[in-house]
Amino acid sequence: MIRRSTLRAQIAAALRDEILAGRLPTGRDFTVKEIAEQYGVSATPVREALVDLAAQGLLDVEQHRGFRVHEFTMDDFRAMIEVRSLLMEGVFRRVTPGNGLVHAPDPAALASVRRRADASAGAALAGDLDVLIGYDLRYWRELGEVIRNAYVRDFLDRVRVQSWAFAVPYLRRAESLAGELWSGHRELVDAVERRDVRTAERIVAGYNDHALSLVGKLASGPE
């Protein structure tokens, strides 16, 4: 028998994937009853899952009406990029030699990140957005774990999820994304493994500039 807490997490993960895939578009309204019927479960774990997603900033609570997929703006996206940069700077400096708070990256952890990097880079080069999102989120989450701070890791993961939620509808406007998506995951892992913070920061800055440029171009184009 599936425990309610597990069911709650499964429903939240499934709905999050629907949002990131663009199948639950921004501004979409729905009720607890609608989702419960869709998944064939009771209302309680659905309500709990939706509240969890609202706490992550992906849903808005509509008083007496249900929930709505949150609509992020381009200004929100720029702010997300800035936060991502600041957080990753902190991550890199925690693995920099000479820092009193330094944590040397765990070789086993880096090996796992490298596997995510290979999968992410391959999906990015192929322009396979659906595959990329899943691997990319795992990649950055594991990379954030090198500083062994769960609060930073979880906050970074939340911001990255929101970034994808905003970007996906615009990315799907492109005729082809092959060769258009950032694929520097391997190079970044190499820099972190060498504890080369300057190179790591340069790679992330380039990634963020690329994201702003690509999404901004697609957002300003024809519907």
Side-chain angles (χ1 to χ4, degrees), residues 1-13 32 41-52:
M1 180 177 179
I2 298 177
R3 292 181 301 172
R4 197 178 80 188
S5 60
T6 303
L7 187 58
R8 168 184 183 170
Q10 289 175 343
I11 294 169
V32 171
V41 297
S42 66
T44 299
V46 169
R47 184 178 296 105
E48 292 170 341
L50 295 176
V51 168
D52 289 343

Side-chain angles (χ1 to χ4, degrees), residues 88-121:
M88 290 313 298
E89 284 178 14
V91 169
F92 298 144
R93 294 194 182 282
R94 286 291 292 268
V95 297
T96 304
N99 188 327
L101 298 174
V102 66
H103 291 298
D106 176 62
L110 279 176
S112 179
V113 177
R114 193 174 295 283
R115 288 193 294 273
R116 306 296 186 199
D118 290 341
S120 298

Side-chain angles (χ1 to χ4, degrees), residues 167 170-175 177 213-222:
Y170 297 110
L171 293 173
R172 292 198 185 281
R173 293 180 181 179
E175 291 185 9
L177 289 171
S213 175
L214 177 59
V215 175
K217 179 178 68 176
L218 293 171
S220 62

Side-chain angles (χ1 to χ4, degrees), residues 18 20 41 48-49 64 73 81 86 90 108 117 136 144 153 158 198:
E18 291 288 296
L20 293 179
V41 297
E48 292 170 341
H64 309 299
T73 67
I81 296 293
L86 293 172
D136 181 79
R153 177 203 64 203
R158 169 178 169 163
R198 289 187 178 180

